[in-house]
PDB file of all heavy atoms in Angstrom:
ATOM      1  N   GLU A   9      14.410   3.307 -27.099  1.00  0.00           N
ATOM      2  CA  GLU A   9      14.560   4.480 -26.232  1.00  0.00           C
ATOM      3  C   GLU A   9      14.563   5.800 -27.076  1.00  0.00           C
ATOM      4  O   GLU A   9      14.035   6.801 -26.737  1.00  0.00           O
ATOM      5  CB  GLU A   9      15.684   4.357 -25.391  1.00  0.00           C
ATOM      6  CG  GLU A   9      15.748   5.505 -24.331  1.00  0.00           C
ATOM      7  CD  GLU A   9      16.933   5.322 -23.312  1.00  0.00           C
ATOM      8  OE1 GLU A   9      17.327   4.147 -23.093  1.00  0.00           O
ATOM      9  OE2 GLU A   9      17.324   6.266 -22.733  1.00  0.00           O
ATOM     10  N   SER A  12      11.272   6.649 -28.405  1.00  0.00           N
ATOM     11  CA  SER A  12      10.395   7.177 -27.265  1.00  0.00           C
ATOM     12  C   SER A  12      10.802   8.652 -27.003  1.00  0.00           C
ATOM     13  O   SER A  12       9.979   9.477 -26.755  1.00  0.00           O
ATOM     14  CB  SER A  12      10.655   6.267 -26.126  1.00  0.00           C
ATOM     15  OG  SER A  12      10.024   6.766 -24.971  1.00  0.00           O
ATOM     16  N   ALA A  21       6.462  19.667 -27.132  1.00  0.00           N
ATOM     17  CA  ALA A  21       6.455  20.882 -28.045  1.00  0.00           C
ATOM     18  C   ALA A  21       4.982  21.099 -28.479  1.00  0.00           C
ATOM     19  O   ALA A  21       4.543  22.303 -28.550  1.00  0.00           O
ATOM     20  CB  ALA A  21       7.272  20.542 -29.278  1.00  0.00           C
ATOM     21  N   SER A  23       2.220  20.337 -26.845  1.00  0.00           N
ATOM     22  CA  SER A  23       1.499  20.820 -25.680  1.00  0.00           C
ATOM     23  C   SER A  23       1.803  22.259 -25.351  1.00  0.00           C
ATOM     24  O   SER A  23       0.819  22.992 -25.211  1.00  0.00           O
ATOM     25  CB  SER A  23       1.854  19.862 -24.411  1.00  0.00           C
ATOM     26  OG  SER A  23       1.430  18.470 -24.716  1.00  0.00           O
ATOM     27  N   CYS A  58       8.440  38.076 -33.591  1.00  0.00           N
ATOM     28  CA  CYS A  58       7.897  37.991 -32.286  1.00  0.00           C
ATOM     29  C   CYS A  58       8.978  37.370 -31.382  1.00  0.00           C
ATOM     30  O   CYS A  58       9.143  36.148 -31.314  1.00  0.00           O
ATOM     31  CB  CYS A  58       6.728  37.058 -32.325  1.00  0.00           C
ATOM     32  SG  CYS A  58       5.896  36.728 -30.756  1.00  0.00           S
ATOM     33  N   GLN A  69      13.864  23.909 -26.429  1.00  0.00           N
ATOM     34  CA  GLN A  69      15.025  23.251 -26.760  1.00  0.00           C
ATOM     35  C   GLN A  69      15.830  22.938 -25.709  1.00  0.00           C
ATOM     36  O   GLN A  69      16.574  21.787 -25.641  1.00  0.00           O
ATOM     37  CB  GLN A  69      15.810  24.224 -27.878  1.00  0.00           C
ATOM     38  CG  GLN A  69      15.051  24.224 -29.238  1.00  0.00           C
ATOM     39  CD  GLN A  69      15.643  25.238 -30.123  1.00  0.00           C
ATOM     40  OE1 GLN A  69      16.411  26.079 -29.804  1.00  0.00           O
ATOM     41  NE2 GLN A  69      15.272  25.224 -31.376  1.00  0.00           N
ATOM     42  N   THR A  97      -0.872  32.663 -11.447  1.00  0.00           N
ATOM     43  CA  THR A  97      -2.420  32.697 -11.780  1.00  0.00           C
ATOM     44  C   THR A  97      -2.809  31.536 -12.666  1.00  0.00           C
ATOM     45  O   THR A  97      -3.924  31.276 -12.716  1.00  0.00           O
ATOM     46  CB  THR A  97      -2.787  34.033 -12.401  1.00  0.00           C
ATOM     47  OG1 THR A  97      -4.257  34.059 -12.478  1.00  0.00           O
ATOM     48  CG2 THR A  97      -2.217  34.217 -13.818  1.00  0.00           C
ATOM     49  N   ASP A 114      -1.602   4.255 -19.727  1.00  0.00           N
ATOM     50  CA  ASP A 114      -2.680   4.671 -18.756  1.00  0.00           C
ATOM     51  C   ASP A 114      -3.441   5.686 -19.366  1.00  0.00           C
ATOM     52  O   ASP A 114      -2.929   6.843 -19.552  1.00  0.00           O
ATOM     53  CB  ASP A 114      -1.938   5.193 -17.421  1.00  0.00           C
ATOM     54  CG  ASP A 114      -2.906   5.482 -16.445  1.00  0.00           C
ATOM     55  OD1 ASP A 114      -4.106   5.223 -16.530  1.00  0.00           O
ATOM     56  OD2 ASP A 114      -2.449   6.185 -15.403  1.00  0.00           O
ATOM     57  N   SER A 127       1.429  -1.394 -27.483  1.00  0.00           N
ATOM     58  CA  SER A 127       2.092  -1.454 -28.782  1.00  0.00           C
ATOM     59  C   SER A 127       2.417   0.018 -29.280  1.00  0.00           C
ATOM     60  O   SER A 127       1.899   1.048 -28.607  1.00  0.00           O
ATOM     61  CB  SER A 127       1.160  -2.186 -29.805  1.00  0.00           C
ATOM     62  OG  SER A 127       0.035  -1.382 -30.104  1.00  0.00           O
ATOM     63  N   TYR A 143      -6.542  20.233 -25.819  1.00  0.00           N
ATOM     64  CA  TYR A 143      -7.180  21.293 -26.580  1.00  0.00           C
ATOM     65  C   TYR A 143      -8.591  21.494 -26.118  1.00  0.00           C
ATOM     66  O   TYR A 143      -8.981  22.704 -26.061  1.00  0.00           O
ATOM     67  CB  TYR A 143      -7.196  20.783 -28.056  1.00  0.00           C
ATOM     68  CG  TYR A 143      -6.100  21.434 -28.893  1.00  0.00           C
ATOM     69  CD1 TYR A 143      -4.827  20.887 -28.865  1.00  0.00           C
ATOM     70  CD2 TYR A 143      -6.367  22.403 -29.797  1.00  0.00           C
ATOM     71  CE1 TYR A 143      -3.823  21.388 -29.683  1.00  0.00           C
ATOM     72  CE2 TYR A 143      -5.396  23.007 -30.605  1.00  0.00           C
ATOM     73  CZ  TYR A 143      -4.033  22.438 -30.491  1.00  0.00           C
ATOM     74  OH  TYR A 143      -3.026  22.932 -31.313  1.00  0.00           O
ATOM     75  N   PRO A 151     -10.639  33.579 -20.186  1.00  0.00           N
ATOM     76  CA  PRO A 151      -9.479  34.293 -20.526  1.00  0.00           C
ATOM     77  C   PRO A 151      -8.594  34.585 -19.386  1.00  0.00           C
ATOM     78  O   PRO A 151      -9.021  34.724 -18.186  1.00  0.00           O
ATOM     79  CB  PRO A 151      -9.996  35.593 -21.141  1.00  0.00           C
ATOM     80  CG  PRO A 151     -11.441  35.758 -20.559  1.00  0.00           C
ATOM     81  CD  PRO A 151     -11.859  34.490 -20.422  1.00  0.00           C
ATOM     82  N   THR A 159       6.877  32.129 -17.587  1.00  0.00           N
ATOM     83  CA  THR A 159       8.206  31.649 -17.361  1.00  0.00           C
ATOM     84  C   THR A 159       8.179  30.126 -17.190  1.00  0.00           C
ATOM     85  O   THR A 159       7.018  29.602 -17.109  1.00  0.00           O
ATOM     86  CB  THR A 159       8.844  32.321 -16.090  1.00  0.00           C
ATOM     87  OG1 THR A 159      10.281  31.972 -16.088  1.00  0.00           O
ATOM     88  CG2 THR A 159       8.145  31.844 -14.809  1.00  0.00           C
ATOM     89  N   LEU A 163      12.940  21.061 -12.821  1.00  0.00           N
ATOM     90  CA  LEU A 163      13.408  20.355 -11.591  1.00  0.00           C
ATOM     91  C   LEU A 163      14.083  19.061 -12.071  1.00  0.00           C
ATOM     92  O   LEU A 163      13.668  18.492 -13.024  1.00  0.00           O
ATOM     93  CB  LEU A 163      12.209  19.911 -10.579  1.00  0.00           C
ATOM     94  CG  LEU A 163      11.783  21.102  -9.631  1.00  0.00           C
ATOM     95  CD1 LEU A 163      11.053  22.333 -10.381  1.00  0.00           C
ATOM     96  CD2 LEU A 163      11.014  20.569  -8.445  1.00  0.00           C
ATOM     97  N   PRO A 193      -7.703  28.039  -6.506  1.00  0.00           N
ATOM     98  CA  PRO A 193      -7.063  27.200  -7.504  1.00  0.00           C
ATOM     99  C   PRO A 193      -7.897  25.960  -7.629  1.00  0.00           C
ATOM    100  O   PRO A 193      -8.486  25.433  -6.781  1.00  0.00           O
ATOM    101  CB  PRO A 193      -5.684  26.852  -6.954  1.00  0.00           C
ATOM    102  CG  PRO A 193      -5.937  26.904  -5.504  1.00  0.00           C
ATOM    103  CD  PRO A 193      -6.782  28.046  -5.298  1.00  0.00           C
ATOM    104  N   VAL A 198      -5.109  16.218 -16.981  1.00  0.00           N
ATOM    105  CA  VAL A 198      -5.264  16.217 -18.500  1.00  0.00           C
ATOM    106  C   VAL A 198      -4.971  14.769 -18.841  1.00  0.00           C
ATOM    107  O   VAL A 198      -5.788  14.195 -19.642  1.00  0.00           O
ATOM    108  CB  VAL A 198      -4.247  17.099 -19.097  1.00  0.00           C
ATOM    109  CG1 VAL A 198      -4.332  17.003 -20.661  1.00  0.00           C
ATOM    110  CG2 VAL A 198      -4.434  18.553 -18.660  1.00  0.00           C
ATOM    111  N   GLN A 238      10.426  24.404  -0.661  1.00  0.00           N
ATOM    112  CA  GLN A 238      10.894  23.356   0.199  1.00  0.00           C
ATOM    113  C   GLN A 238      10.194  22.022  -0.166  1.00  0.00           C
ATOM    114  O   GLN A 238      10.834  20.984  -0.125  1.00  0.00           O
ATOM    115  CB  GLN A 238      10.668  23.683   1.639  1.00  0.00           C
ATOM    116  CG  GLN A 238      10.996  22.550   2.702  1.00  0.00           C
ATOM    117  CD  GLN A 238      12.501  22.239   2.561  1.00  0.00           C
ATOM    118  OE1 GLN A 238      13.322  23.129   2.245  1.00  0.00           O
ATOM    119  NE2 GLN A 238      12.815  21.026   2.797  1.00  0.00           N
ATOM    120  N   GLU A 245       3.952  14.404   2.604  1.00  0.00           N
ATOM    121  CA  GLU A 245       2.472  14.090   2.537  1.00  0.00           C
ATOM    122  C   GLU A 245       1.718  15.379   2.855  1.00  0.00           C
ATOM    123  O   GLU A 245       2.058  16.140   3.787  1.00  0.00           O
ATOM    124  CB  GLU A 245       2.031  12.981   3.497  1.00  0.00           C
ATOM    125  CG  GLU A 245       2.626  11.578   3.092  1.00  0.00           C
ATOM    126  CD  GLU A 245       1.878  10.533   3.820  1.00  0.00           C
ATOM    127  OE1 GLU A 245       0.928  10.916   4.616  1.00  0.00           O
ATOM    128  OE2 GLU A 245       2.476   9.448   3.804  1.00  0.00           O
TER     129      GLU A 245
END
Side-chain angles (χ1 to χ4, degrees):
E9 184 173 340
S12 178
S23 298
C58 180
Q69 292 170 344
T97 189
D114 180 12
S127 65
Y143 263 79
T159 192
L163 276 74
V198 180
Q238 176 62 29
E245 291 191 13

